[in-house]
Amino acid sequence: MDIVTDLKVERKPKLSETVVAAIREQLLGGLIQPGQKLPTEGQLTETFGVSRTVIREALAQLAAAGLVEPRQGAGVFVIEQLSTAFGALTSEMGTKNSIALNVLEVRLAIEIESAGLAAIRHNAAQEAEIQEAFFEFDMLLLKDQPTGPADLAFHRAIASATNNPFYVEMLDVLGRRAIPCDITSPWSTEVAQSGEYQRGLQREHLAILNAISAGNAEAARNAMRAHLTASQRRYLERIQARHGFYEAGSVKEP
């Protein structure tokens, strides 16, 4: 399957989801206090540069999550018991965290050897697909757009370069779950990743790409192992940072 096709079919986050994520971060950071009235639809439209329809959809999602409540004729207010609401979200996130870590564990078992095989089996066209996904990641990063689709495409292109279709099938089964820290993943606990964080990912991707291009199977395995092990560590650190927020009731910067 063509890698560009895969990039096109990956669902990009809806505008309303981006608005929801931004408002939730403000709630977490204390920029919007319990009981406080949210800006009007018109003000939110200007702030986020989206339509009123998008804002209404985002507010409906926040209300459904129990974080805000609309009051007839008065506006939309943050609920008073905000910590309780976030506590319920923490419980849901616990399940997501377990699944995400399981996914990363499976990827370690599969993709280390996948990288090694790709290094010795790839052809010029397959190497070009890996490079294309790598540079697509760069382009999305420059545009400040979610990089998860390109991240997944990069790993899928490596799996394809093994010339063993079962490696590709395994990643296809995982789908968007394979990149748990990207906002487009249903298992994400993140609102967004910093540019510095994603540039770090690209440095790891570059080490993998260089090893595969050089035909060095052992270096490719080591680079993939280092990348996925670091991904596990980063994910655990962010879980612990978020858990620390909920336990202490104060914001800790992940």
Side-chain angles (χ1 to χ4, degrees), residues 25-47:
E25 274 297 279
Q26 293 182 44
L27 295 174
L28 280 167
L31 297 177
I32 305 177
Q33 295 293 320
Q36 182 177 336
K37 180 181 177 181
L38 292 183
T40 65
E41 283 186 6
Q43 291 170 327
L44 290 172
T45 296
E46 289 186 14
T47 298

Side-chain angles (χ1 to χ4, degrees), residues 94-148:
T95 301
K96 291 184 178 182
N97 292 336
S98 298
I99 294 174
L101 289 171
N102 287 341
V103 167
L104 288 169
E105 187 175 273
V106 169
R107 289 184 62 197
L108 270 166
I110 296 170
E111 292 196 66
I112 292 172
E113 186 59 23
S114 173
L117 291 175
I120 58 178
R121 293 180 180 176
H122 74 271
N123 58 38
Q126 290 167 334
E127 182 177 344
E129 286 186 342
I130 299 171
Q131 292 174 342
E132 182 179 357
F134 178 87
F135 290 118
E136 175 73 7
F137 189 112
D138 268 347
M139 183 189 73
L140 292 170
L141 185 54
L142 285 172
K143 292 182 176 180
D144 196 27
Q145 294 179 1
T147 55

